[in-house]
Amino acid sequence: MTDKSYQPTIAGLRAFVAVAEKHHFSGAATSLGVSQSTLSQALSALESGLGVQLVERSTRRVFLTTEGRQLLPRAQAVIEAVTAFTAAAAGSADPLQGSMRLGLIPTVAPYALPAVLAGLADRLPGLTLRVIEDQTERLLTALREGAVDAALIALPADTTGVTEIAIYDEDFVLALPPGHPLTGKKRVPPTELAQLPLLLLDEGHCLRDQALDVCRMAGVRAELANTRAASLATAVQCVTGGLGVTLIPQTAVSVEAERTRLGLAQFATPRPGRRIGLVFRSSSGRDEPYRRLAGIIGELISADQQVRLVR
């Protein structure tokens, strides 16, 4: 039973959060710059004071208990608040003047990063980015667990505890094998997808779901190609080889069309597309700087690509 007079220490909460993120005592201790015995003692003292077991210990890995999973977001919020408090006291509360872990989905990262990285180096010289590319659900999990600070994904995120900042909208373009009769067309109705073998990305990619949504909204049942791809670049290569057609976002067109003999066609208006935005934990207390970051990212991508900024 929890002693209601017990007050957790910051050291105990830091130990819990580090172990939860690393799933390993040695790695957690290294990340905090303390010995493994010191970390273990701090965590044990926290569990004892709370009267709750937070982690299950084994010889190889550490797993969160049900109680641990429930309490982790609150512990992370406390640590973030303490970090922000300390930074403010030191006069450096701006997260855009330090290290940031930025997640990007695979259908954004290869096409947006060149402009974003070069531009941020000029616009925010005090910011050091660590880039993490992964699928949407894994990025959102990493965000909730504190392993990622913010992420560029397709909106909506449809998850609690996360703030979304819409940045830009982009159209989907129909990618076709070389010489296809639709190549160069500007007003292809989405209903044409019922007549074409649609090549999709693997499960877990949001672009796969978005392509199927386009078909559903057009009221057609897509004829799915027998081939699936793990990346957009692979999908484009398969299309070039005549294995089907696929949808690619506008920001990917210049890169993918340049290195292949890809045929392209535009959909009729209103053109199907997607909205890309920045997401971050609502508990982080960093709404203003992240909105500033989102605005800069939007300006950089807009200057480099044909996208419509969300105002």
mmCIF file with all atom_site columns, all heavy atoms in Angstrom, residues 46-60:
data_model
loop_
_atom_site.group_PDB
_atom_site.id
_atom_site.type_symbol
_atom_site.label_atom_id
_atom_site.label_alt_id
_atom_site.label_comp_id
_atom_site.label_asym_id
_atom_site.label_entity_id
_atom_site.label_seq_id
_atom_site.pdbx_PDB_ins_code
_atom_site.Cartn_x
_atom_site.Cartn_y
_atom_site.Cartn_z
_atom_site.occupancy
_atom_site.B_iso_or_equiv
_atom_site.pdbx_formal_charge
_atom_site.auth_seq_id
_atom_site.auth_comp_id
_atom_site.auth_asym_id
_atom_site.auth_atom_id
_atom_site.pdbx_PDB_model_num
ATOM 1   N N   . LEU A 1 46 ? 11.838 4.000   -5.256  1.00 0.00 ? 46 LEU A N   1
ATOM 2   C CA  . LEU A 1 46 ? 10.592 4.543   -5.801  1.00 0.00 ? 46 LEU A CA  1
ATOM 3   C C   . LEU A 1 46 ? 9.470  3.528   -5.693  1.00 0.00 ? 46 LEU A C   1
ATOM 4   O O   . LEU A 1 46 ? 8.354  3.850   -5.251  1.00 0.00 ? 46 LEU A O   1
ATOM 5   C CB  . LEU A 1 46 ? 10.808 4.951   -7.260  1.00 0.00 ? 46 LEU A CB  1
ATOM 6   C CG  . LEU A 1 46 ? 9.575  5.482   -8.006  1.00 0.00 ? 46 LEU A CG  1
ATOM 7   C CD1 . LEU A 1 46 ? 9.112  6.797   -7.398  1.00 0.00 ? 46 LEU A CD1 1
ATOM 8   C CD2 . LEU A 1 46 ? 9.878  5.654   -9.497  1.00 0.00 ? 46 LEU A CD2 1
ATOM 9   N N   . GLU A 1 47 ? 9.740  2.281   -6.080  1.00 0.00 ? 47 GLU A N   1
ATOM 10  C CA  . GLU A 1 47 ? 8.714  1.238   -6.008  1.00 0.00 ? 47 GLU A CA  1
ATOM 11  C C   . GLU A 1 47 ? 8.292  0.981   -4.564  1.00 0.00 ? 47 GLU A C   1
ATOM 12  O O   . GLU A 1 47 ? 7.111  0.800   -4.268  1.00 0.00 ? 47 GLU A O   1
ATOM 13  C CB  . GLU A 1 47 ? 9.239  -0.046  -6.651  1.00 0.00 ? 47 GLU A CB  1
ATOM 14  C CG  . GLU A 1 47 ? 9.404  0.036   -8.167  1.00 0.00 ? 47 GLU A CG  1
ATOM 15  C CD  . GLU A 1 47 ? 9.978  -1.225  -8.758  1.00 0.00 ? 47 GLU A CD  1
ATOM 16  O OE1 . GLU A 1 47 ? 10.935 -1.766  -8.166  1.00 0.00 ? 47 GLU A OE1 1
ATOM 17  O OE2 . GLU A 1 47 ? 9.475  -1.686  -9.813  1.00 0.00 ? 47 GLU A OE2 1
ATOM 18  N N   . SER A 1 48 ? 9.278  0.966   -3.672  1.00 0.00 ? 48 SER A N   1
ATOM 19  C CA  . SER A 1 48 ? 8.976  0.726   -2.256  1.00 0.00 ? 48 SER A CA  1
ATOM 20  C C   . SER A 1 48 ? 8.113  1.844   -1.684  1.00 0.00 ? 48 SER A C   1
ATOM 21  O O   . SER A 1 48 ? 7.140  1.600   -0.974  1.00 0.00 ? 48 SER A O   1
ATOM 22  C CB  . SER A 1 48 ? 10.280 0.591   -1.473  1.00 0.00 ? 48 SER A CB  1
ATOM 23  O OG  . SER A 1 48 ? 10.024 0.422   -0.101  1.00 0.00 ? 48 SER A OG  1
ATOM 24  N N   . GLY A 1 49 ? 8.471  3.087   -2.016  1.00 0.00 ? 49 GLY A N   1
ATOM 25  C CA  . GLY A 1 49 ? 7.709  4.225   -1.498  1.00 0.00 ? 49 GLY A CA  1
ATOM 26  C C   . GLY A 1 49 ? 6.296  4.273   -2.041  1.00 0.00 ? 49 GLY A C   1
ATOM 27  O O   . GLY A 1 49 ? 5.360  4.622   -1.330  1.00 0.00 ? 49 GLY A O   1
ATOM 28  N N   . LEU A 1 50 ? 6.143  3.900   -3.306  1.00 0.00 ? 50 LEU A N   1
ATOM 29  C CA  . LEU A 1 50 ? 4.816  3.905   -3.924  1.00 0.00 ? 50 LEU A CA  1
ATOM 30  C C   . LEU A 1 50 ? 3.992  2.679   -3.535  1.00 0.00 ? 50 LEU A C   1
ATOM 31  O O   . LEU A 1 50 ? 2.768  2.681   -3.643  1.00 0.00 ? 50 LEU A O   1
ATOM 32  C CB  . LEU A 1 50 ? 4.941  3.946   -5.450  1.00 0.00 ? 50 LEU A CB  1
ATOM 33  C CG  . LEU A 1 50 ? 5.534  5.217   -6.068  1.00 0.00 ? 50 LEU A CG  1
ATOM 34  C CD1 . LEU A 1 50 ? 5.718  5.032   -7.566  1.00 0.00 ? 50 LEU A CD1 1
ATOM 35  C CD2 . LEU A 1 50 ? 4.649  6.428   -5.791  1.00 0.00 ? 50 LEU A CD2 1
ATOM 36  N N   . GLY A 1 51 ? 4.698  1.624   -3.134  1.00 0.00 ? 51 GLY A N   1
ATOM 37  C CA  . GLY A 1 51 ? 4.015  0.367   -2.870  1.00 0.00 ? 51 GLY A CA  1
ATOM 38  C C   . GLY A 1 51 ? 3.513  -0.291  -4.136  1.00 0.00 ? 51 GLY A C   1
ATOM 39  O O   . GLY A 1 51 ? 2.531  -1.033  -4.123  1.00 0.00 ? 51 GLY A O   1
ATOM 40  N N   . VAL A 1 52 ? 4.215  -0.018  -5.255  1.00 0.00 ? 52 VAL A N   1
ATOM 41  C CA  . VAL A 1 52 ? 3.799  -0.512  -6.566  1.00 0.00 ? 52 VAL A CA  1
ATOM 42  C C   . VAL A 1 52 ? 5.027  -1.032  -7.302  1.00 0.00 ? 52 VAL A C   1
ATOM 43  O O   . VAL A 1 52 ? 6.074  -0.371  -7.320  1.00 0.00 ? 52 VAL A O   1
ATOM 44  C CB  . VAL A 1 52 ? 3.141  0.609   -7.404  1.00 0.00 ? 52 VAL A CB  1
ATOM 45  C CG1 . VAL A 1 52 ? 2.887  0.144   -8.835  1.00 0.00 ? 52 VAL A CG1 1
ATOM 46  C CG2 . VAL A 1 52 ? 1.840  1.055   -6.765  1.00 0.00 ? 52 VAL A CG2 1
ATOM 47  N N   . GLN A 1 53 ? 4.915  -2.219  -7.922  1.00 0.00 ? 53 GLN A N   1
ATOM 48  C CA  . GLN A 1 53 ? 5.989  -2.708  -8.772  1.00 0.00 ? 53 GLN A CA  1
ATOM 49  C C   . GLN A 1 53 ? 5.816  -2.095  -10.160 1.00 0.00 ? 53 GLN A C   1
ATOM 50  O O   . GLN A 1 53 ? 4.787  -2.248  -10.804 1.00 0.00 ? 53 GLN A O   1
ATOM 51  C CB  . GLN A 1 53 ? 5.975  -4.234  -8.881  1.00 0.00 ? 53 GLN A CB  1
ATOM 52  C CG  . GLN A 1 53 ? 7.122  -4.789  -9.713  1.00 0.00 ? 53 GLN A CG  1
ATOM 53  C CD  . GLN A 1 53 ? 7.106  -6.309  -9.808  1.00 0.00 ? 53 GLN A CD  1
ATOM 54  O OE1 . GLN A 1 53 ? 6.309  -6.971  -9.151  1.00 0.00 ? 53 GLN A OE1 1
ATOM 55  N NE2 . GLN A 1 53 ? 7.985  -6.843  -10.646 1.00 0.00 ? 53 GLN A NE2 1
ATOM 56  N N   . LEU A 1 54 ? 6.860  -1.401  -10.601 1.00 0.00 ? 54 LEU A N   1
ATOM 57  C CA  . LEU A 1 54 ? 6.790  -0.696  -11.878 1.00 0.00 ? 54 LEU A CA  1
ATOM 58  C C   . LEU A 1 54 ? 7.372  -1.488  -13.031 1.00 0.00 ? 54 LEU A C   1
ATOM 59  O O   . LEU A 1 54 ? 6.935  -1.331  -14.176 1.00 0.00 ? 54 LEU A O   1
ATOM 60  C CB  . LEU A 1 54 ? 7.521  0.652   -11.777 1.00 0.00 ? 54 LEU A CB  1
ATOM 61  C CG  . LEU A 1 54 ? 6.980  1.614   -10.714 1.00 0.00 ? 54 LEU A CG  1
ATOM 62  C CD1 . LEU A 1 54 ? 7.900  2.820   -10.591 1.00 0.00 ? 54 LEU A CD1 1
ATOM 63  C CD2 . LEU A 1 54 ? 5.570  2.058   -11.077 1.00 0.00 ? 54 LEU A CD2 1
ATOM 64  N N   . VAL A 1 55 ? 8.366  -2.330  -12.743 1.00 0.00 ? 55 VAL A N   1
ATOM 65  C CA  . VAL A 1 55 ? 9.023  -3.101  -13.803 1.00 0.00 ? 55 VAL A CA  1
ATOM 66  C C   . VAL A 1 55 ? 9.184  -4.550  -13.370 1.00 0.00 ? 55 VAL A C   1
ATOM 67  O O   . VAL A 1 55 ? 9.258  -4.859  -12.178 1.00 0.00 ? 55 VAL A O   1
ATOM 68  C CB  . VAL A 1 55 ? 10.407 -2.511  -14.171 1.00 0.00 ? 55 VAL A CB  1
ATOM 69  C CG1 . VAL A 1 55 ? 10.284 -1.085  -14.658 1.00 0.00 ? 55 VAL A CG1 1
ATOM 70  C CG2 . VAL A 1 55 ? 11.368 -2.596  -12.998 1.00 0.00 ? 55 VAL A CG2 1
ATOM 71  N N   . GLU A 1 56 ? 9.220  -5.412  -14.357 1.00 0.00 ? 56 GLU A N   1
ATOM 72  C CA  . GLU A 1 56 ? 9.548  -6.819  -14.145 1.00 0.00 ? 56 GLU A CA  1
ATOM 73  C C   . GLU A 1 56 ? 10.986 -7.035  -14.597 1.00 0.00 ? 56 GLU A C   1
ATOM 74  O O   . GLU A 1 56 ? 11.347 -6.723  -15.726 1.00 0.00 ? 56 GLU A O   1
ATOM 75  C CB  . GLU A 1 56 ? 8.613  -7.722  -14.957 1.00 0.00 ? 56 GLU A CB  1
ATOM 76  C CG  . GLU A 1 56 ? 7.166  -7.641  -14.554 1.00 0.00 ? 56 GLU A CG  1
ATOM 77  C CD  . GLU A 1 56 ? 6.277  -8.507  -15.424 1.00 0.00 ? 56 GLU A CD  1
ATOM 78  O OE1 . GLU A 1 56 ? 6.828  -9.379  -16.133 1.00 0.00 ? 56 GLU A OE1 1
ATOM 79  O OE2 . GLU A 1 56 ? 5.050  -8.307  -15.409 1.00 0.00 ? 56 GLU A OE2 1
ATOM 80  N N   . ARG A 1 57 ? 11.796 -7.565  -13.715 1.00 0.00 ? 57 ARG A N   1
ATOM 81  C CA  . ARG A 1 57 ? 13.203 -7.736  -13.998 1.00 0.00 ? 57 ARG A CA  1
ATOM 82  C C   . ARG A 1 57 ? 13.473 -9.168  -14.423 1.00 0.00 ? 57 ARG A C   1
ATOM 83  O O   . ARG A 1 57 ? 12.956 -10.107 -13.835 1.00 0.00 ? 57 ARG A O   1
ATOM 84  C CB  . ARG A 1 57 ? 14.044 -7.391  -12.774 1.00 0.00 ? 57 ARG A CB  1
ATOM 85  C CG  . ARG A 1 57 ? 13.876 -5.942  -12.296 1.00 0.00 ? 57 ARG A CG  1
ATOM 86  C CD  . ARG A 1 57 ? 14.194 -5.810  -10.816 1.00 0.00 ? 57 ARG A CD  1
ATOM 87  N NE  . ARG A 1 57 ? 14.202 -4.436  -10.346 1.00 0.00 ? 57 ARG A NE  1
ATOM 88  C CZ  . ARG A 1 57 ? 13.109 -3.775  -9.983  1.00 0.00 ? 57 ARG A CZ  1
ATOM 89  N NH1 . ARG A 1 57 ? 11.919 -4.370  -10.063 1.00 0.00 ? 57 ARG A NH1 1
ATOM 90  N NH2 . ARG A 1 57 ? 13.186 -2.532  -9.547  1.00 0.00 ? 57 ARG A NH2 1
ATOM 91  N N   . SER A 1 58 ? 14.302 -9.334  -15.474 1.00 0.00 ? 58 SER A N   1
ATOM 92  C CA  . SER A 1 58 ? 14.750 -10.652 -15.884 1.00 0.00 ? 58 SER A CA  1
ATOM 93  C C   . SER A 1 58 ? 16.245 -10.563 -16.158 1.00 0.00 ? 58 SER A C   1
ATOM 94  O O   . SER A 1 58 ? 16.844 -9.485  -16.075 1.00 0.00 ? 58 SER A O   1
ATOM 95  C CB  . SER A 1 58 ? 14.001 -11.135 -17.136 1.00 0.00 ? 58 SER A CB  1
ATOM 96  O OG  . SER A 1 58 ? 14.380 -10.370 -18.265 1.00 0.00 ? 58 SER A OG  1
ATOM 97  N N   . THR A 1 59 ? 16.843 -11.678 -16.493 1.00 0.00 ? 59 THR A N   1
ATOM 98  C CA  . THR A 1 59 ? 18.291 -11.685 -16.711 1.00 0.00 ? 59 THR A CA  1
ATOM 99  C C   . THR A 1 59 ? 18.679 -10.935 -17.971 1.00 0.00 ? 59 THR A C   1
ATOM 100 O O   . THR A 1 59 ? 19.816 -10.470 -18.094 1.00 0.00 ? 59 THR A O   1
ATOM 101 C CB  . THR A 1 59 ? 18.813 -13.131 -16.806 1.00 0.00 ? 59 THR A CB  1
ATOM 102 O OG1 . THR A 1 59 ? 18.089 -13.813 -17.833 1.00 0.00 ? 59 THR A OG1 1
ATOM 103 C CG2 . THR A 1 59 ? 18.634 -13.847 -15.482 1.00 0.00 ? 59 THR A CG2 1
ATOM 104 N N   . ARG A 1 60 ? 17.762 -10.804 -18.929 1.00 0.00 ? 60 ARG A N   1
ATOM 105 C CA  . ARG A 1 60 ? 18.111 -10.174 -20.205 1.00 0.00 ? 60 ARG A CA  1
ATOM 106 C C   . ARG A 1 60 ? 17.429 -8.839  -20.450 1.00 0.00 ? 60 ARG A C   1
ATOM 107 O O   . ARG A 1 60 ? 18.026 -7.920  -20.973 1.00 0.00 ? 60 ARG A O   1
ATOM 108 C CB  . ARG A 1 60 ? 17.788 -11.129 -21.356 1.00 0.00 ? 60 ARG A CB  1
ATOM 109 C CG  . ARG A 1 60 ? 18.651 -12.388 -21.367 1.00 0.00 ? 60 ARG A CG  1
ATOM 110 C CD  . ARG A 1 60 ? 18.376 -13.196 -22.615 1.00 0.00 ? 60 ARG A CD  1
ATOM 111 N NE  . ARG A 1 60 ? 19.231 -14.374 -22.699 1.00 0.00 ? 60 ARG A NE  1
ATOM 112 C CZ  . ARG A 1 60 ? 19.202 -15.247 -23.698 1.00 0.00 ? 60 ARG A CZ  1
ATOM 113 N NH1 . ARG A 1 60 ? 18.364 -15.077 -24.701 1.00 0.00 ? 60 ARG A NH1 1
ATOM 114 N NH2 . ARG A 1 60 ? 20.008 -16.299 -23.704 1.00 0.00 ? 60 ARG A NH2 1
#
